[in-house]
Amino acid sequence: MKTRATLILLALFLSFNVGFAQQDEECIINLTLMNDFVKNKKYDEAYEPFMKLRESCPKFHSAIYSYGERILKDKIEKTTGTEQVNFINDLMKLWDEGLANFPDKYTAGGILQDKAMLKYDYKEALGYGNKQVYDTFDELYKKAPESFTNPKGLYIYFSTIVDMYDAKEVEVQDVFNKYDDVIDKIGQEIDNYTQKLNPIIQKEEAGETLDARTAQYKKQYESYLENYDKISGSIDTKLGILANCEVLVPLYKRDFDKYRNDSVWLKRAVNRMFNKECTDDPLYVELVKAYDESSPSADTKYFVYNLLMSQGKEKEARPYLDQSYDLETNPLKKSQLAMRFGKSLRKQGNFGAARNYFQKSLELNPSNGRAHAEIAQMYAASANNCGDDQFSKRAVFWLAAAEARKAGKVDGTIRSYAEKLAASYEGSAPTRSEIFEKGNGGEVIKIGCWIGLSVTVPKI
């Protein structure tokens, strides 16, 4: 059968190419052999025809490089020492050859990312230290940031510079700068996949059935978002105690005069001081004022708002919150701002205003399940205050559970958490026996106070 298939391929090739040469025949035969061996995972047998193709007819077919990658990776896994290093270097050489011969199939940035990951995976065999590992990812970040999309790679990039700091090879400011770079990059990728996911979520919310291809895209986008979310948490953990007030305050005091007009430096300093709750230090006030003066924006107005709130100037602070929201034009960033405002108002106990901002966040980013989860938690926290009797108070938990279910439906990154939250709330709602005793199955209960909604008692 293999001979027959080869003859058919030869006949087809001859019919389109009168000048068919002996070399072309050998290329077809080797391509067929390589294809058969790789599909049957006989990589050792595939190596010889692969190498012949690579040397004699490198432009013959892109499979030389896609299948060759599998063949060489198998060799790398099975070998050690110098032999393994030679195969590692040969795989990197193969990627370069693939780019040169099939530029429509490869990108320089993609190859840089593949090389960086390969060098990290085999850093011990290659004899690489932290600096060499870091430099490979740094080259990718500087030369082709658009191709630096691997969540694991982004974590390695940051983690390695922390290890370099521990070894006294870099200063703490270098770590903070790289943290900001990587977090910004992760934010860009999250925005990218969120924008792709939102239209799919909107289709589902409208009751449309997703076709197989769209459902697969949804799964892929949610997977990337979940991985980026995990990596963000891991990066914060890796940063650890380095970013605390005892380190940040003297560092920023030292550099403030030098960077007082640098909006990027000020933004990062204010953000870190705010996130690490170093806002009681007088330096924070100076940083916020300088940031707002140098580059008024949605961010600066929000920090001024928080600053005034911390000083007890609530009436003076509120306009800055509205200014911040109005100044932002990017829908996803505006959604994030709305979430930030909602959380701030929730902490103040202003649940009604907080829900408005969480709902605004959802209008701008329908796949933001965290907004639904925040609303669910506020409903649950208000159960004792928003019912007329014990039954209606506990009925509030049905609203909370329904909102938590929405969170898991639209946002795969928190689906497990949302389902547990919903189950917990359902466990606090009236039981079937209580509904039976009350005899109100199917009735609509109005929930008062700030919630202002109705809930239907389940029929039993």
Coordinates of all heavy atoms in Angstrom, one line a residue, residues 342-427:
G342 N -16.8 49.8 42.8 CA -17.8 49.0 43.4 C -17.3 48.4 44.7 O -18.0 48.4 45.8
K343 N -16.1 47.9 44.7 CA -15.4 47.3 45.9 C -15.2 48.4 46.9 O -15.4 48.1 48.1 CB -14.1 46.7 45.5 CG -14.3 45.4 44.7 CD -12.9 44.8 44.3 CE -13.1 43.5 43.5 NZ -11.8 43.0 43.1
S344 N -14.8 49.6 46.5 CA -14.6 50.7 47.5 C -15.9 51.0 48.2 O -15.9 51.2 49.4 CB -14.0 51.9 46.7 OG -13.8 53.0 47.6
L345 N -16.9 51.2 47.4 CA -18.2 51.6 48.0 C -18.8 50.4 48.8 O -19.5 50.7 49.8 CB -19.2 51.9 46.8 CG -18.9 53.2 46.1 CD1 -19.6 53.3 44.7 CD2 -19.2 54.4 46.9
R346 N -18.6 49.2 48.4 CA -19.0 48.1 49.2 C -18.4 48.1 50.6 O -19.0 47.8 51.6 CB -18.7 46.8 48.5 CG -19.2 45.5 49.3 CD -18.7 44.2 48.7 NE -18.9 43.1 49.6 CZ -18.4 41.9 49.5 NH1 -17.5 41.7 48.5 NH2 -18.7 41.0 50.3
K347 N -17.1 48.3 50.6 CA -16.4 48.4 51.9 C -16.9 49.5 52.8 O -16.9 49.3 54.1 CB -14.9 48.7 51.7 CG -14.1 47.4 51.2 CD -12.6 47.8 51.0 CE -11.8 46.6 50.5 NZ -10.4 46.9 50.3
Q348 N -17.4 50.5 52.2 CA -18.0 51.6 53.0 C -19.5 51.3 53.4 O -20.1 52.1 54.1 CB -18.1 52.9 52.1 CG -16.7 53.4 51.7 CD -16.8 54.5 50.7 OE1 -17.7 55.3 50.6 NE2 -15.8 54.5 49.8
G349 N -20.0 50.2 52.9 CA -21.4 49.8 53.3 C -22.4 50.4 52.4 O -23.6 50.2 52.6
N350 N -22.0 51.0 51.3 CA -22.9 51.7 50.4 C -23.2 50.6 49.3 O -22.8 50.8 48.1 CB -22.3 52.9 49.8 CG -23.3 53.8 49.1 OD1 -24.4 53.3 48.7 ND2 -23.0 55.0 48.8
F351 N -24.1 49.6 49.6 CA -24.3 48.5 48.7 C -25.0 48.9 47.4 O -24.8 48.4 46.4 CB -25.1 47.4 49.4 CG -24.3 46.6 50.4 CD1 -24.8 45.7 51.2 CD2 -22.9 46.9 50.6 CE1 -24.1 44.9 52.1 CE2 -22.1 46.2 51.5 CZ -22.7 45.2 52.3
G352 N -26.0 49.8 47.6 CA -26.8 50.3 46.4 C -25.9 50.9 45.3 O -26.0 50.5 44.1
A353 N -25.0 51.8 45.7 CA -24.1 52.5 44.8 C -23.1 51.5 44.3 O -22.7 51.5 43.1 CB -23.4 53.7 45.5
A354 N -22.7 50.6 45.1 CA -21.7 49.6 44.7 C -22.3 48.7 43.6 O -21.6 48.4 42.6 CB -21.3 48.7 45.9
R355 N -23.5 48.3 43.8 CA -24.2 47.4 42.8 C -24.3 48.1 41.5 O -24.1 47.5 40.4 CB -25.6 47.0 43.2 CG -26.2 46.1 42.2 CD -27.6 45.6 42.7 NE -28.5 46.6 43.0 CZ -29.8 46.4 43.4 NH1 -30.2 45.2 43.7 NH2 -30.6 47.5 43.7
N356 N -24.5 49.4 41.5 CA -24.6 50.2 40.2 C -23.3 50.1 39.5 O -23.3 49.9 38.2 CB -25.0 51.6 40.5 CG -26.4 51.8 41.0 OD1 -27.2 51.0 40.7 ND2 -26.7 52.9 41.6
Y357 N -22.2 50.2 40.2 CA -20.9 50.1 39.5 C -20.6 48.7 39.0 O -20.0 48.5 38.0 CB -19.8 50.7 40.4 CG -19.6 52.2 40.3 CD1 -20.0 53.0 41.3 CD2 -19.1 52.7 39.1 CE1 -19.8 54.4 41.2 CE2 -18.9 54.1 39.0 CZ -19.3 54.9 40.0 OH -19.2 56.3 39.9
F358 N -21.0 47.7 39.8 CA -20.7 46.3 39.4 C -21.6 46.0 38.1 O -21.1 45.3 37.2 CB -21.1 45.4 40.5 CG -20.2 45.4 41.7 CD1 -20.6 45.4 43.0 CD2 -18.8 45.4 41.5 CE1 -19.8 45.4 44.1 CE2 -17.9 45.4 42.5 CZ -18.4 45.4 43.9
Q359 N -22.7 46.6 38.1 CA -23.6 46.4 36.9 C -23.0 47.1 35.7 O -23.1 46.6 34.5 CB -25.0 46.8 37.2 CG -25.7 45.9 38.1 CD -27.1 46.4 38.6 OE1 -27.4 47.6 38.5 NE2 -28.0 45.5 39.0
K360 N -22.4 48.3 35.9 CA -21.8 49.0 34.8 C -20.6 48.2 34.3 O -20.3 48.2 33.1 CB -21.3 50.4 35.3 CG -22.4 51.4 35.5 CD -21.8 52.7 36.0 CE -22.9 53.8 36.2 NZ -22.4 55.1 36.7
S361 N -19.9 47.6 35.2 CA -18.7 46.8 34.8 C -19.2 45.6 33.9 O -18.5 45.3 32.9 CB -18.1 46.2 36.1 OG -17.0 45.3 35.7
L362 N -20.3 45.0 34.3 CA -20.9 43.9 33.4 C -21.3 44.4 32.1 O -21.2 43.7 31.1 CB -22.0 43.2 34.2 CG -21.6 42.3 35.3 CD1 -22.7 42.0 36.2 CD2 -21.0 41.0 34.7
E363 N -21.9 45.6 32.0 CA -22.3 46.1 30.7 C -21.1 46.3 29.8 O -21.2 46.0 28.6 CB -23.0 47.5 30.9 CG -24.4 47.4 31.6 CD -24.9 48.7 32.0 OE1 -24.3 49.8 31.6 OE2 -25.9 48.8 32.7
L364 N -20.0 46.7 30.3 CA -18.8 46.9 29.6 C -18.0 45.6 29.3 O -17.3 45.5 28.3 CB -17.9 47.9 30.3 CG -18.4 49.3 30.4 CD1 -17.7 50.1 31.5 CD2 -18.3 50.0 29.1
N365 N -18.1 44.6 30.2 CA -17.4 43.4 30.1 C -18.3 42.2 30.6 O -18.2 41.8 31.7 CB -16.1 43.4 30.9 CG -15.3 42.1 30.8 OD1 -15.6 41.3 30.0 ND2 -14.3 42.0 31.6
P366 N -19.2 41.7 29.7 CA -20.1 40.7 30.1 C -19.5 39.4 30.7 O -20.2 38.7 31.4 CB -20.9 40.4 28.8 CG -20.7 41.6 27.9 CD -19.3 42.1 28.3
S367 N -18.3 39.1 30.4 CA -17.7 37.9 30.9 C -17.0 38.1 32.3 O -16.3 37.2 32.8 CB -16.6 37.3 29.9 OG -15.6 38.3 29.7
N368 N -17.2 39.2 32.9 CA -16.6 39.5 34.2 C -17.5 38.9 35.3 O -18.3 39.6 35.9 CB -16.4 41.0 34.4 CG -15.9 41.4 35.8 OD1 -15.2 40.5 36.4 ND2 -16.1 42.6 36.2
G369 N -17.3 37.6 35.6 CA -18.1 37.0 36.6 C -17.9 37.5 38.0 O -18.8 37.4 38.9
R370 N -16.8 38.1 38.2 CA -16.5 38.6 39.6 C -17.5 39.7 40.0 O -17.8 39.9 41.2 CB -15.1 39.2 39.6 CG -14.0 38.0 39.7 CD -12.6 38.6 39.6 NE -11.6 37.5 39.9 CZ -11.3 36.6 39.0 NH1 -11.8 36.6 37.8 NH2 -10.4 35.7 39.3
A371 N -18.0 40.4 39.0 CA -19.0 41.5 39.4 C -20.3 40.8 39.9 O -20.9 41.2 40.9 CB -19.3 42.3 38.1
H372 N -20.7 39.7 39.2 CA -21.9 39.0 39.7 C -21.6 38.4 41.1 O -22.5 38.4 42.0 CB -22.2 37.8 38.8 CG -22.9 38.2 37.5 ND1 -24.1 38.8 37.5 CD2 -22.5 38.0 36.2 CE1 -24.4 39.0 36.2 NE2 -23.5 38.5 35.4
A373 N -20.4 37.9 41.3 CA -20.1 37.3 42.7 C -20.1 38.4 43.7 O -20.5 38.1 44.9 CB -18.7 36.7 42.6
E374 N -19.6 39.6 43.4 CA -19.6 40.7 44.4 C -21.1 41.0 44.8 O -21.4 41.3 46.0 CB -18.9 41.9 43.8 CG -17.4 41.8 43.7 CD -16.7 41.9 45.0 OE1 -17.3 42.3 46.0 OE2 -15.5 41.7 45.0
I375 N -22.0 41.1 43.8 CA -23.4 41.4 44.0 C -24.0 40.3 44.9 O -24.8 40.6 45.8 CB -24.1 41.6 42.7 CG1 -23.6 42.8 41.9 CG2 -25.6 41.7 42.9 CD1 -24.1 43.0 40.5
A376 N -23.7 39.1 44.5 CA -24.2 37.9 45.3 C -23.8 38.1 46.8 O -24.7 37.8 47.7 CB -23.7 36.6 44.7
Q377 N -22.6 38.4 47.0 CA -22.1 38.5 48.4 C -22.8 39.7 49.2 O -23.1 39.5 50.4 CB -20.6 38.7 48.4 CG -19.9 37.4 48.0 CD -18.4 37.6 47.8 OE1 -17.7 37.6 48.8 NE2 -17.9 37.7 46.6
M378 N -23.1 40.7 48.4 CA -23.8 41.8 49.1 C -25.2 41.5 49.4 O -25.8 41.8 50.5 CB -23.8 43.1 48.2 CG -22.4 43.7 48.1 SD -22.4 45.4 47.3 CE -23.1 45.0 45.7
Y379 N -25.9 40.7 48.5 CA -27.2 40.2 48.8 C -27.2 39.4 50.1 O -28.0 39.6 51.0 CB -27.8 39.4 47.6 CG -28.2 40.2 46.4 CD1 -28.3 39.6 45.2 CD2 -28.4 41.6 46.5 CE1 -28.7 40.3 44.0 CE2 -28.7 42.3 45.3 CZ -28.9 41.6 44.1 OH -29.2 42.4 43.0
A380 N -26.3 38.4 50.1 CA -26.2 37.5 51.3 C -26.0 38.3 52.6 O -26.5 38.0 53.6 CB -25.1 36.5 51.0
A381 N -25.1 39.3 52.5 CA -24.7 40.1 53.7 C -25.9 40.9 54.2 O -25.9 41.4 55.3 CB -23.5 41.0 53.4
S382 N -26.9 41.1 53.3 CA -28.0 42.0 53.6 C -29.3 41.2 54.0 O -30.3 41.8 54.2 CB -28.4 42.9 52.4 OG -27.3 43.7 52.1
A383 N -29.2 39.9 54.1 CA -30.4 39.1 54.3 C -31.2 39.5 55.5 O -32.4 39.6 55.5 CB -30.0 37.6 54.4
N384 N -30.5 39.8 56.6 CA -31.2 40.1 57.9 C -31.8 41.5 57.9 O -32.7 41.8 58.7 CB -30.2 40.0 59.1 CG -29.9 38.6 59.4 OD1 -30.8 37.7 59.2 ND2 -28.7 38.3 60.0
N385 N -31.4 42.3 56.9 CA -31.9 43.7 56.9 C -32.9 43.9 55.8 O -33.6 45.0 55.8 CB -30.7 44.7 56.7 CG -29.6 44.5 57.7 OD1 -29.9 44.3 58.9 ND2 -28.4 44.6 57.3
C386 N -33.1 43.0 54.9 CA -34.0 43.3 53.7 C -35.2 42.3 53.6 O -35.7 42.1 52.6 CB -33.2 43.1 52.5 SG -31.8 44.3 52.3
G387 N -35.7 41.8 54.8 CA -36.9 41.0 54.7 C -37.8 41.4 55.9 O -37.4 42.0 56.9
D388 N -39.1 41.1 55.7 CA -40.1 41.5 56.7 C -40.2 40.4 57.8 O -40.6 40.8 58.9 CB -41.5 41.6 56.0 CG -41.5 42.8 55.0 OD1 -40.8 43.7 55.2 OD2 -42.2 42.6 54.0
D389 N -40.0 39.2 57.5 CA -40.0 38.1 58.5 C -38.9 37.2 58.2 O -38.1 37.3 57.3 CB -41.4 37.4 58.5 CG -41.7 36.9 57.1 OD1 -40.8 36.6 56.3 OD2 -42.9 36.7 56.8
Q390 N -38.8 36.1 59.1 CA -37.7 35.2 58.9 C -37.6 34.5 57.6 O -36.6 34.3 57.0 CB -37.8 34.1 60.0 CG -36.5 33.3 60.2 CD -35.3 34.1 60.6 OE1 -35.4 35.2 61.2 NE2 -34.1 33.6 60.2
F391 N -38.8 34.2 57.0 CA -38.8 33.5 55.7 C -38.4 34.4 54.6 O -37.5 34.0 53.8 CB -40.3 33.0 55.4 CG -40.4 32.1 54.2 CD1 -40.3 30.7 54.4 CD2 -40.5 32.6 53.0 CE1 -40.4 29.9 53.3 CE2 -40.6 31.8 51.9 CZ -40.6 30.4 52.0
S392 N -38.9 35.6 54.6 CA -38.4 36.5 53.5 C -37.0 37.0 53.6 O -36.3 37.2 52.6 CB -39.4 37.8 53.5 OG -39.2 38.5 54.7
K393 N -36.5 37.0 54.9 CA -35.1 37.3 55.0 C -34.2 36.2 54.4 O -33.2 36.5 53.7 CB -34.8 37.5 56.5 CG -35.3 38.8 57.1 CD -35.0 38.9 58.6 CE -35.5 40.2 59.2 NZ -35.2 40.3 60.7
R394 N -34.6 35.0 54.7 CA -33.8 33.9 54.2 C -34.0 33.7 52.7 O -33.2 33.1 52.0 CB -34.2 32.6 54.9 CG -33.6 32.6 56.4 CD -34.0 31.4 57.1 NE -33.5 30.2 56.5 CZ -33.9 29.0 56.8 NH1 -34.8 28.8 57.7 NH2 -33.3 27.9 56.2
A395 N -35.2 34.2 52.2 CA -35.4 34.1 50.7 C -34.4 35.0 49.9 O -34.2 34.7 48.7 CB -36.8 34.6 50.4
V396 N -33.8 35.9 50.6 CA -32.8 36.8 49.9 C -31.6 35.9 49.4 O -31.0 36.2 48.4 CB -32.2 37.8 50.9 CG1 -31.1 38.6 50.3 CG2 -33.3 38.8 51.3
F397 N -31.4 34.7 50.1 CA -30.3 33.8 49.7 C -30.6 33.2 48.3 O -29.7 32.8 47.6 CB -30.1 32.8 50.7 CG -29.4 33.3 52.0 CD1 -30.1 33.5 53.2 CD2 -28.0 33.6 51.9 CE1 -29.4 34.0 54.3 CE2 -27.3 34.1 53.0 CZ -28.1 34.3 54.2
W398 N -31.9 33.1 47.9 CA -32.2 32.6 46.6 C -31.7 33.6 45.5 O -31.1 33.2 44.5 CB -33.7 32.4 46.4 CG -34.2 31.1 47.0 CD1 -33.6 29.9 47.0 CD2 -35.4 31.0 47.7 NE1 -34.4 29.0 47.6 CE2 -35.5 29.6 48.1 CE3 -36.5 31.8 48.0 CZ2 -36.6 29.1 48.8 CZ3 -37.6 31.3 48.7 CH2 -37.6 29.9 49.1
L399 N -31.8 34.9 45.8 CA -31.3 35.9 44.9 C -29.8 35.8 44.9 O -29.2 35.9 43.8 CB -31.7 37.3 45.4 CG -33.1 37.8 45.1 CD1 -33.3 39.2 45.8 CD2 -33.3 37.9 43.6
A400 N -29.2 35.7 46.0 CA -27.7 35.6 46.1 C -27.2 34.4 45.3 O -26.2 34.5 44.6 CB -27.2 35.5 47.6
A401 N -27.9 33.2 45.5 CA -27.5 32.0 44.8 C -27.6 32.2 43.3 O -26.7 31.8 42.5 CB -28.3 30.8 45.3
A402 N -28.7 32.8 42.8 CA -28.9 33.0 41.4 C -27.8 33.9 40.8 O -27.3 33.7 39.7 CB -30.3 33.6 41.2
E403 N -27.4 34.9 41.6 CA -26.4 35.8 41.1 C -25.0 35.1 41.0 O -24.2 35.3 40.1 CB -26.3 37.1 42.0 CG -25.6 38.3 41.4 CD -26.4 38.9 40.3 OE1 -27.7 38.8 40.3 OE2 -25.8 39.6 39.4
A404 N -24.8 34.3 42.0 CA -23.5 33.5 42.0 C -23.5 32.5 40.8 O -22.5 32.3 40.2 CB -23.4 32.7 43.3
R405 N -24.7 31.9 40.5 CA -24.7 31.0 39.3 C -24.4 31.8 38.1 O -23.7 31.2 37.2 CB -26.1 30.4 39.2 CG -26.5 29.5 40.4 CD -26.0 28.1 40.2 NE -26.4 27.2 41.3 CZ -25.7 26.3 41.7 NH1 -24.5 26.0 41.2 NH2 -26.2 25.5 42.7
K406 N -24.8 33.0 37.9 CA -24.5 33.8 36.8 C -23.0 34.0 36.7 O -22.4 34.0 35.6 CB -25.2 35.2 36.9 CG -26.7 35.2 36.7 CD -27.3 36.6 36.8 CE -28.8 36.6 36.8 NZ -29.3 38.0 37.0
A407 N -22.4 34.2 37.8 CA -20.9 34.4 37.8 C -20.2 33.2 37.2 O -19.3 33.4 36.3 CB -20.4 34.6 39.2
G408 N -20.6 32.0 37.6 CA -19.9 30.8 37.0 C -20.3 30.6 35.6 O -19.5 30.0 34.8
K409 N -21.5 31.0 35.2 CA -21.9 30.8 33.8 C -21.1 31.6 32.8 O -20.7 31.1 31.7 CB -23.4 31.1 33.7 CG -23.9 30.8 32.3 CD -25.4 31.2 32.2 CE -26.0 31.0 30.8 NZ -27.4 31.3 30.7
V410 N -20.8 32.9 33.2 CA -20.2 33.8 32.2 C -18.6 33.8 32.4 O -17.9 34.2 31.5 CB -20.7 35.2 32.3 CG1 -22.2 35.3 32.2 CG2 -20.3 35.9 33.7
D411 N -18.1 33.3 33.5 CA -16.7 33.4 33.7 C -16.1 32.1 34.2 O -16.2 31.7 35.3 CB -16.4 34.4 34.8 CG -15.0 34.8 35.0 OD1 -14.1 34.1 34.5 OD2 -14.7 35.9 35.6
G412 N -15.5 31.4 33.2 CA -14.9 30.1 33.5 C -13.8 30.1 34.5 O -13.5 29.1 35.2
T413 N -13.1 31.3 34.7 CA -12.0 31.3 35.6 C -12.4 31.2 37.1 O -11.6 30.9 38.0 CB -11.2 32.7 35.4 OG1 -12.0 33.8 35.8 CG2 -10.7 32.8 34.0
I414 N -13.7 31.5 37.4 CA -14.2 31.4 38.8 C -15.3 30.4 38.9 O -16.1 30.5 39.9 CB -14.6 32.8 39.3 CG1 -15.7 33.4 38.5 CG2 -13.4 33.7 39.4 CD1 -16.3 34.6 39.2
R415 N -15.5 29.6 37.9 CA -16.7 28.7 37.9 C -16.8 27.8 39.1 O -17.9 27.7 39.8 CB -16.7 27.8 36.6 CG -17.9 27.0 36.4 CD -18.0 26.5 35.0 NE -18.2 27.7 34.1 CZ -17.6 27.8 32.9 NH1 -16.7 26.9 32.5 NH2 -17.8 28.8 32.1
S416 N -15.7 27.2 39.5 CA -15.8 26.3 40.7 C -16.1 27.1 42.0 O -16.9 26.7 42.8 CB -14.4 25.7 40.9 OG -14.4 24.9 42.0
Y417 N -15.5 28.3 42.1 CA -15.7 29.2 43.3 C -17.2 29.6 43.3 O -17.9 29.6 44.3 CB -14.8 30.4 43.2 CG -15.2 31.5 44.1 CD1 -15.1 31.4 45.5 CD2 -15.8 32.7 43.6 CE1 -15.5 32.5 46.3 CE2 -16.2 33.7 44.4 CZ -16.0 33.6 45.8 OH -16.4 34.7 46.6
A418 N -17.7 30.0 42.1 CA -19.1 30.5 42.0 C -20.1 29.4 42.4 O -21.1 29.7 43.0 CB -19.3 31.0 40.6
E419 N -19.8 28.2 41.9 CA -20.7 27.1 42.2 C -20.8 26.8 43.7 O -21.8 26.5 44.3 CB -20.3 25.9 41.4 CG -20.6 26.0 39.9 CD -20.1 24.8 39.1 OE1 -19.4 24.0 39.6 OE2 -20.4 24.8 37.9
K420 N -19.6 26.8 44.3 CA -19.6 26.6 45.8 C -20.3 27.7 46.5 O -21.0 27.5 47.5 CB -18.1 26.5 46.3 CG -17.4 25.3 45.8 CD -15.9 25.3 46.3 CE -15.2 24.1 45.7 NZ -13.7 24.1 46.1
L421 N -20.1 28.9 46.0 CA -20.8 30.1 46.7 C -22.3 29.9 46.5 O -23.1 30.1 47.5 CB -20.4 31.4 46.0 CG -20.6 32.7 46.7 CD1 -19.7 32.7 47.9 CD2 -20.2 33.8 45.7
A422 N -22.8 29.5 45.3 CA -24.2 29.4 45.1 C -24.8 28.2 46.0 O -25.9 28.4 46.6 CB -24.5 29.0 43.6
A423 N -24.0 27.1 46.1 CA -24.5 26.0 46.9 C -24.6 26.4 48.4 O -25.5 26.0 49.1 CB -23.5 24.8 46.8
S424 N -23.7 27.2 48.8 CA -23.7 27.7 50.2 C -24.9 28.6 50.5 O -25.6 28.4 51.5 CB -22.4 28.5 50.5 OG -22.5 29.2 51.8
Y425 N -25.2 29.5 49.5 CA -26.4 30.3 49.7 C -27.7 29.6 49.6 O -28.6 29.8 50.4 CB -26.4 31.4 48.6 CG -25.2 32.4 48.7 CD1 -24.7 33.1 47.6 CD2 -24.7 32.7 50.0 CE1 -23.6 34.0 47.7 CE2 -23.6 33.6 50.1 CZ -23.1 34.2 49.0 OH -22.1 35.1 49.1
E426 N -27.7 28.6 48.7 CA -28.9 27.8 48.6 C -29.2 27.0 49.9 O -30.3 26.7 50.4 CB -28.8 26.8 47.5 CG -29.0 27.5 46.1 CD -28.6 26.7 44.9 OE1 -28.0 25.6 45.1 OE2 -28.9 27.1 43.8
G427 N -28.1 26.6 50.6 CA -28.2 25.9 51.9 C -28.7 26.8 53.0 O -29.2 26.3 54.0

